């Protein structure tokens, strides 16, 4: 019995070689979308195929009888859905079509496009507002507690707007105290306008020490050419408030020592525009007698006379006439 079994098995094996497995339910040729051919040395790219509905997996062989493994996608008859193919770029995860798109070569004859800017529209120049430096009627002064030792100067411009155009320096410590003590006071109570050089334009004296006996401060001369105030060295050397005697073109200072004693000086502007002393008056008390001393000077500054009188006007000790002091 055993001698018949081996020939039967050999016959069965010979009969099965080269047989192709059948795939049911397909009326079209089988398209191999992706896979790897065994036994070849070429690399074949892998494509993952996604079917909307019917996907049949199987194994087939090529003409040489070599076995091909992979995924065979078929679409059943009557189905209107098509397979969607997704390209797999490996670990990079690149998705898109499976067909390479050629890149157009760059042309060396590419013309450069030059864009010409449109010419700018010229706007008419706007004239800056100005002021007339010879018009002092709109000048005003300001002061801020947050900026001590500064006096702000403003005036009206040609466009009708008032603007700050200059800042003056002065010791404002006492001014601040006086304003805080009396809320009715403003900086204008401490800025005295007066024409101290008789040129027709108002200069200013800023009161820095408004004490009970004397007012001392800083002088600024008005320049009618620029419209600015300029620090005035000659009058600042006097530092006392000056009163103007327009009838004689004199500037007068009175420095009080106490309730009785004082010194009065009268100044004038000489031909060289220098401030010169015209007269000196000193009232004081000698014992129980109150005396007043008078001294006069000529245009060269030389003393022309000296005399002393009591408070009733009586001459005391004679008159030196035109003799100079000390002679």
């Amino acid at each position: 019995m055993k001698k018949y079994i081996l020939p039967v098995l050999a016959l069965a094996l010979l009969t099965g070689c080269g047989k192709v497995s059948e795939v049911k339910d397909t009326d079209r040729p089988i398209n191999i979308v992706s896979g790897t051919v065994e036994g070849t040395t070429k690399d074949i790219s892998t494509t993952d195929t996604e079917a909307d509905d019917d996907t049949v997996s199987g194994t087939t062989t090529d003409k040489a009888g070599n076995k091909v493994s992979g995924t065979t996608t078929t679409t059943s008859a009557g189905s209107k859905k098509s397979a969607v193919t997704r390209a797999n770029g490996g670990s990079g995860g690149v998705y898109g079509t499976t067909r390479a798109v050629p890149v157009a070569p760059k042309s060396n004859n590419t013309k450069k496009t030059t864009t010409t800017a449109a010419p700018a529209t010229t706007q008419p120049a706007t004239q800056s507002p100005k002021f007339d430096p010879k018009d002092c009627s709109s000048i005003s002064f300001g002061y801020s507690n947050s900026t001590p030792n500064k006096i702000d100067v403003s005036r009206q411009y040609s466009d009708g707007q008032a603007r700050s155009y200059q800042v003056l320096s002065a010791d404002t410590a006492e001014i601040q105290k006086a304003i805080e003590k009396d809320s009715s006071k403003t900086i204008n109570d401490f800025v005295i306008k007066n024409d101290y050089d008789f040129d027709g334009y108002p200069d200013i004296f800023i009161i820095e020490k408004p004490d009970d006996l004397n007012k001392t401060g800083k002088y600024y001369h008005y320049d009618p050419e620029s419209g600015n105030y300029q620090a005035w060295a000659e009058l600042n050397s006097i530092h006392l408030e000056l009163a103007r005697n327009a009838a004689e073109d004199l500037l007068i200072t009175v420095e009080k020592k106490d309730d009785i004693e004082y010194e009065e000086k009268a100044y004038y502007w000489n031909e060289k525009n220098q401030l010169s002393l015209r007269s000196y008056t000193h009232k004081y008390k000698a014992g129980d007698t109150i005396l007043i001393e008078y001294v006069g000077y000529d245009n060269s500054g030389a003393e022309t006379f000296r005399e002393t009188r009591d408070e009733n006007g009586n001459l005391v000790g004679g008159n030196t006439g035109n003799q100079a002091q000390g002679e």
Side-chain angles (χ1 to χ4, degrees):
M1 186 65 181
K2 293 180 179 180
K3 67 175 64 176
Y4 295 104
I5 294 173
L6 291 175
V8 172
L9 290 173
L11 182 60
L13 291 172
L14 291 173
T15 306
C17 290
K19 185 178 182 180
V20 178
S21 60
E22 295 180 358
V23 179
K24 297 181 179 181
D25 298 331
T26 179
D27 296 331
R28 301 178 182 178
I30 297 174
N31 297 322
I32 300 175
V33 180
S34 64
T36 304
V37 178
E38 296 179 357
T40 64
T41 59
K42 288 187 177 181
D43 293 334
I44 302 175
S45 62
T46 302
T47 304
D48 295 334
T49 305
E50 294 176 358
D52 288 342
D53 270 340
D54 301 330
T55 301
V56 179
S57 300
T59 304
T60 186
T61 59
D62 59 9
K63 292 181 180 180
N66 295 326
K67 185 178 180 181
V68 178
S69 64
T71 303
T72 302
T73 303
T74 62
T75 305
S76 60
S79 175
K80 294 182 179 180
K81 297 181 179 180
S82 60
V84 179
T85 303
R86 182 181 66 214
N88 186 350
S91 61
V94 179
Y95 298 93
T97 62
T98 58
R99 184 178 62 184
V101 179
V103 179
K106 294 183 179 180
S107 174
N108 294 329
N109 296 325
T110 303
K111 294 183 179 180
K112 294 183 179 180
T113 302
T114 303
T115 303
T116 304
T121 303
T122 304
Q123 298 294 335
T126 303
Q127 188 175 8
S128 300
K130 298 180 180 180
F131 63 84
D132 181 3
K134 293 179 171 56
D135 182 7
C136 305
S137 60
S138 65
I139 294 178
S140 61
F141 303 93
Y143 168 75
S144 173
N145 291 337
S146 61
T147 55
N149 301 327
K150 299 295 181 184
I151 304 295
D152 185 74
V153 185
S154 300
R155 73 188 309 155
Q156 186 171 325
Y157 280 66
S158 57
D159 60 355
Q161 299 294 323
R163 292 180 175 84
S164 171
Y165 74 97
Q166 189 178 11
V167 176
L168 306 178
S169 297
D171 184 357
T172 60
E174 295 298 324
I175 296 175
Q176 182 177 347
K177 290 179 182 178
I179 293 176
E180 291 175 351
K181 185 177 180 180
D182 186 352
S183 60
S184 65
K185 292 184 178 298
T186 66
I187 187 62
N188 293 297
D189 295 311
F190 301 91
V191 179
I192 308 302
K193 294 180 181 180
N194 216 334
D195 183 9
Y196 296 110
D197 59 354
F198 307 98
D199 64 350
Y201 297 96
D203 311 298
I204 58 172
F205 172 64
I206 301 174
I207 302 173
E208 296 177 313
K209 305 291 182 183
D211 56 38
D212 295 335
L213 292 176
N214 304 291
K215 293 184 176 73
T216 59
K218 184 170 290 185
Y219 285 92
Y220 283 92
H221 174 259
Y222 185 77
D223 179 13
E225 297 301 322
S226 66
N228 292 329
Y229 288 99
Q230 301 172 348
W232 210 340
E234 284 185 291
L235 298 192
N236 285 332
S237 64
I238 297 173
H239 73 270
L240 293 165
E241 182 180 16
L242 287 162
R244 197 172 75 119
N245 182 345
E248 300 180 32
D249 291 342
L250 296 176
L251 299 176
I252 300 171
T253 64
V254 178
E255 182 176 7
K256 295 181 179 179
K257 308 295 184 179
D258 53 38
D259 293 339
I260 296 176
E261 185 178 5
Y262 69 85
E263 290 181 352
E264 178 183 296
K265 296 178 181 179
Y267 298 91
Y268 73 101
W269 297 98
N270 63 19
E271 294 178 354
K272 297 180 180 180
N273 203 28
Q274 297 172 335
L275 197 63
S276 302
L277 187 61
R278 174 64 73 192
S279 64
Y280 168 80
T281 302
H282 183 201
K283 182 180 180 180
Y284 59 98
K285 188 175 183 180
D288 295 333
T289 305
I290 297 177
L291 301 175
I292 305 174
E293 181 182 20
Y294 300 94
V295 181
Y297 303 89
D298 62 17
N299 291 341
S300 63
E303 184 178 309
T304 57
F305 74 93
R306 176 185 296 270
E307 65 181 20
T308 302
R309 297 178 182 273
D310 61 21
E311 58 183 337
N312 296 321
N314 298 318
L315 186 63
V316 177
N319 190 329
T320 59
N322 292 328
Q323 296 181 5
Q325 183 178 2
E327 294 183 0

